[in-house]
Amino acid sequence: MFTGIVEEIGHIVSVQRHAFSQIITISASDILGGTNIGDSIAVSGVCLTVTSIGSKQFSADVMHETINKSSLGNLRAGMAVNLERAMPANGRFGGHIVSGHIDGVGRITKISKDDNAVWYTINAGKEIMQLIVPKGSITIDGISLTVSYVDKSVFKVSIIPHTAQKTTLLTKNNGDTVNLECDVISKYVEKVMELSKKEE
């Protein structure tokens, strides 16, 4: 489990592409402390298993399903990614419950400044939008954020300077895709409502 509080920005060292999968190697420093092979690290919101650790870098496998459901298939050498280790049992819960199992991708449609904040407008499919509520939590590329606005096709988040400096959001442009994970509570509520309708 993760919390959506990014610990470090890493950079893609290499991407080894296979027919339906890939192996990514990422440069990092802070998150490697205490990290072992087999541990989980959220890479831009996607939970991956560490398969090897080197000098200031680690590698992980990316399976076919992950490539289809996320933006990791677009990774190239030099690109920045948000990194977070799985939360320890005695850790502080700074964000919200994040599984690292994303629901899909969204597309940035507008970026605008508002004094010291930056607004991001993101478009997503119906299956994701129906799980997003105003003032609720959303994970964007592994970052725990609060939804400031939502309608049927887009939602908006406002980014404070600290978040902008400590994550990859400032590297994003209009049209870029981002990984989205909706609040797990909304998923359970939707499931219960579905079951209730079937019983009627």
Side-chain angles (χ1 to χ4, degrees), residues 17-188:
R17 302 187 189 281
H18 304 289
F20 300 107
S21 64
Q22 59 191 32
I23 300 172
I24 58 175
T25 300
I26 302 169
S27 65
S29 55
D30 297 342
I31 65 157
L32 295 182
T35 296
N36 299 301
I37 292 175
D39 287 352
S40 296
I41 293 180
V43 177
S44 288
V46 181
C47 178
L48 298 178
T49 300
V50 176
T51 56
S52 69
I53 301 175
S55 176
K56 294 189 176 181
Q57 65 182 35
F58 71 95
S59 296
D61 293 318
V62 183
M63 296 296 95
H64 193 191
E65 175 70 4
T66 304
I67 292 173
N68 287 340
K69 293 285 187 180
S70 74
S71 66
L72 296 192
N74 299 325
L75 292 177
R76 300 289 185 276
M79 292 180 69
V81 290
N82 296 316
L83 302 174
E84 180 191 357
R85 289 169 291 186
M87 188 182 78
N90 63 345
R92 295 186 64 185
F93 210 108
H96 71 280
I97 298 173
V98 177
S99 69
H101 305 148
I102 69 165
D103 296 298
V105 297
R107 188 172 299 277
I108 298 173
T109 61
K110 185 178 181 181
I111 302 173
S112 57
K113 292 209 68 176
D114 180 13
D115 195 12
N116 67 338
V118 181
W119 283 87
Y120 288 79
T121 301
I122 298 172
N123 170 263
K126 179 182 177 181
E127 70 283 357
I128 292 177
M129 293 304 304
Q130 65 187 8
L131 297 173
I132 301 175
V133 297
K135 306 306 178 184
S137 297
I138 185 78
T139 307
I140 300 175
D141 273 355
I143 309 162
S144 174
L145 297 167
T146 300
V147 177
S148 298
Y149 169 88
V150 62
D151 60 28
K152 291 182 178 180
S153 60
V154 302
F155 69 93
K156 299 180 182 181
V157 292
S158 180
I159 309 302
I160 63 173
H162 176 80
T163 303
Q165 294 166 7
K166 296 295 183 178
T167 70
T168 61
L169 281 176
L170 288 182
T171 69
K172 300 297 181 181
N173 299 300
N174 285 335
D176 285 352
T177 57
V178 289
N179 296 317
L180 302 176
E181 181 183 333
C182 299
D183 191 348
V184 67
I185 295 174
S186 65
K187 299 176 190 178
Y188 281 118

